[in-house]
Amino acid sequence: MENNNLYNYILGIADNSLILGQRLGELCGHGPSLETDIACTNISLDLLGQVRSYYQYAAQLADDGRNEDTIAMMRPEREYVNVLLVEQPNTDFAYTMARQFLFDVYHFSFLTQLQNSADNTLAAIAKKSIKEVSYHLRFSSDWIKRLGDGTEESNKRIQNAINDLWTYTDELFHQTEADKQMISEGVGVDTSKLKEQYYNEVSSLLKEATLEVPESKYFQKGGKKGIHTEHMGYILAELQYMQRTYPNLTW
Amino acid sequence: MSEAQIKSLEEEFEARIARDEKIEPKDWMPEKYRKTHIRQMSQHAHSEIIGMLPEGNWITRAPSLRRKVALLAKVQDEGGHGLYLYSATETLGISRGEMFEQLHTGKAKYSSIFNYPAITWADIGAIGWLVDGAAIINQVALCGTSFGPYARAMVRICKEESFHQRQGYEIILKLTEGTPEQKAMAQDALNRFWWPALMMFGPRDDDSPNTAQSMKWKLKRKTNDELRQQFIDQTVPQAELIGLTIPDPDLKWNDEKGGYDYGDIDWDEFWQVVKGHGPCNKERMKARVAAWENGEWVRDAAMAYSEKQNFLRKQESRAV
């Protein structure tokens, strides 16, 4: 394939939304209130809708019989390149919202830049997605504030969640070979330029929510190279169940 | 109020319904009317919410991205219907919390169909096709019911449900066009969901003591057996069209009545599930109760936060 870097770059974006969408999909019918239940399902729906556009584009580039579903569901675990953050479990509503918020801040600023991509298709997907993601960010930010400045218990729970997930934030800004190549061609977003703003925004909202900004400097990485946490296999077991059990069928 | 006064109010009330006027939440209504509506509308709302569970189970396992997205959208619609119906019921003077309490303690019922498991992908198709199909027949009849908020909710909900039904049928259709394994999956789902779907219309007319009153209030426009017949007559040709067999050896077209004759429904099974002993009654309830209990600290936090914000706003406006 001629444009392997672009293909890999697209997967790097789409896999994040796929796995996060999958995680949120687990919660359907189990939310703390009907409103949050519907909202989480809605965010999952948005993300998976975006995922379809990315993978359809990737399939078009691959031009070898792969389609959006085989790309999404038929890869071995080591070929998924999502960040570790999005595969973390729905331990409780605090973890779900912390994961969402830490991703949304990144996702929003990433898509803001991707709208200027030299690749017209990616720019168009970004323009369409950013409206949805600005809602995700508002939703998760509001919940960080509610939980942080709510009750003693909610404060403790959201602080724990933020502390635990903090270790996965740095990886959002790591760059793969494909990323570097795409940045140099004006297609990709130079995430190194987003990092400072990211931590500023996150910190300022955490403070507003009466939460402590974690100080740990120890970060986890690996997802972008396909080295995942132990959670990933279970996510894929469900995601791939039908495609693996009944290969090559249409549904 | 004297008995004579109440009687005259009641007469005027029944006359309004007979004239096809809508009853609105602030209008005077007999206590029995209020209670019957709370029962039926909350039961309807609960069914939407419980109904999210068997289908929600398949979101993470949907066979393609297109199906996954469509299923998410559908389940989200069901949640929306629940929200809408709870709000409509609240206009009768009961809170959502009280309705949940009734659900969780088993005082309030929900549609028994959701106590059957969704064990294959074809079941998601069968639920859309048969369960939503049956629900629409019930609900279209309710679009003209006498209580305004309920009638308006039904108009809106029916539009989405008919979309769901087509979507479910399309899932099944696709399976019947597929491999023998896929066809078998579709037939198996029809075999398991056919009879429970027929039970969704409730007991036979002879065993349905509230029908007369409900007809008068337009909470029912047709009897259980009439609606069931309508569903069968509508669904049998749909099954034939895609080469599936209705699992009823006694099913036969009856020219005289212009409808199908059908075999006996297993009413013992019906009552067993209604009384809480279906395949998934306990699981469904456990899932809902767990969601509610595990979410308590979240709801408390939201409430505490909102009170703090209100307090701050008041202080600010005082300072100005």
Side-chain angles (χ1 to χ4, degrees), chain A residues 22 29 35 69 238 243 251, chain B residues 60 63 65 67 96 288:
Chain A
Q22 185 76 4
E35 287 82 353
D69 293 321
E238 290 189 23
Q243 290 280 342
W251 303 93
Chain B
T60 56
L65 289 177
R67 294 294 183 197
R96 210 200 298 180
R288 282 314 309 166

Side-chain angles (χ1 to χ4, degrees), chain A residues 127-195:
Chain A
K127 275 197 185 82
K128 185 181 162 285
S129 307
I130 199 156
K131 290 178 203 147
E132 296 166 345
V133 172
S134 72
Y135 162 75
H136 305 170
L137 177 58
R138 200 175 68 205
F139 178 79
S140 60
S141 301
D142 283 350
W143 273 105
I144 299 296
K145 286 190 262 180
R146 282 191 197 106
L147 299 180
D149 197 14
T151 62
E152 202 177 315
E153 181 182 6
S154 70
N155 176 281
K156 202 184 285 173
R157 281 180 185 255
I158 190 67
Q159 184 71 62
N160 282 342
I162 292 282
N163 292 351
D164 276 1
L165 295 176
W166 194 254
T167 189
Y168 301 110
T169 52
D170 189 62
E171 193 191 13
L172 290 163
F173 306 95
H174 290 200
Q175 292 177 356
T176 63
E177 282 313 308
D179 291 345
K180 286 177 192 157
Q181 188 58 39
M182 287 300 104
I183 293 164
S184 75
E185 291 178 25
V187 169
V189 174
D190 188 352
T191 47
S192 65
K193 290 185 181 151
L194 305 179
K195 190 170 172 176

